[in-house]
Amino acid sequence: MTTALLVIDCQMEFARRTAAGIPRSNPDAETAIAKVIAAFRARGLPILHIHHDDPNPKSGFRLGTPGGEVMPCAQNLPGEAVFVKQGSSAFAGTGLAGHLQGAGLTRLVIIGAAVNYCVASTVRMAADLGFSVVVVQEAVFGFGVTGPDGAVHGPETVLSVTLGTLSEFATIVSVTAMTEVLAAG
């Protein structure tokens, strides 16, 4: 068993933003996230949950606040490791790399949010650390951004460009193709 699932920042602040009508990519991401988690659980593969705890007291991503709570689609079960981060990458200051290496885990399947922030940072650092990385394209999501020139980039554009860039560091697959990745061991 060399494959693990990283579930990045599936926290209620993102659900709040979605409910407030802020456009986001992959509107059915919660369903895809739940499917990926279920597939890993069905095979007895390790699942590691990454939660963001923003040090800014006004942030919606503070653990112990409603926004910091885990989304229903990504609730961890007893025995599933949880790592808390305060920065963008799941590896920065969390001990995640040592945990993975100590367990002999060499391939990471990554899902969660936001695709152009914490997911992208984690994918790049994982590749830099020598892990084989897979991103499930329907099980990541994000929001639009405004460029420094004032140009507004919609969430689908941000998703496409981010996944295109991440394809230099990871294999990008569909939920359906992900089962083939799991079958390969």
Side-chain angles (χ1 to χ4, degrees):
M1 170 176 21
T2 63
T3 302
L5 175 65
L6 295 186
V7 183
I8 310 287
D9 297 350
C10 289
Q11 291 169 258
M12 290 303 293
E13 176 60 17
F14 287 127
R16 184 201 63 76
R17 292 176 186 184
T18 302
I22 299 172
R24 103 172 190 210
S25 58
N26 280 339
D28 295 324
E30 289 87 347
T31 300
I33 289 166
K35 284 181 183 179
V36 173
I37 291 171
F40 270 75
R41 287 179 178 152
R43 289 170 176 79
L45 294 170
I47 301 171
L48 298 92
H49 300 265
I50 313 302
H51 300 161
H52 191 80
D53 188 17
D54 194 321
N56 177 352
K58 294 182 181 182
S59 172
F61 291 97
R62 298 275 302 168
L63 295 183
T65 69
E69 296 299 318
V70 178
M71 296 169 76
C73 65
Q75 292 288 324
N76 57 292
L77 295 180
E80 294 176 350
V82 175
F83 292 84
V84 176
K85 65 181 182 58
Q86 292 190 332
S88 185
S89 172
F91 291 96
T94 63
L96 176 61
H99 176 86
L100 294 167
Q101 291 161 345
L105 298 165
T106 58
R107 181 171 50 192
L108 305 177
V109 175
I110 297 180
I111 62 175
V115 67
N116 55 321
Y117 294 106
C118 297
V119 170
S121 296
T122 300
V123 167
R124 289 173 181 209
M125 188 168 275
D128 286 348
L129 292 170
F131 293 98
S132 172
V133 183
V134 176
V135 176
V136 183
Q137 62 189 357
E138 303 98 329
V140 294
F141 65 91
F143 300 86
V145 299
T146 300
D149 60 356
V152 176
H153 306 284
E156 292 301 332
T157 299
V158 171
L159 176 68
S160 178
V161 170
T162 302
L163 291 177
T165 303
L166 290 179
S167 69
E168 296 291 322
F169 307 95
T171 302
I172 312 299
V173 301
S174 67
V175 171
T176 302
M178 188 238 10
T179 57
E180 294 173 13
V181 169
L182 292 179

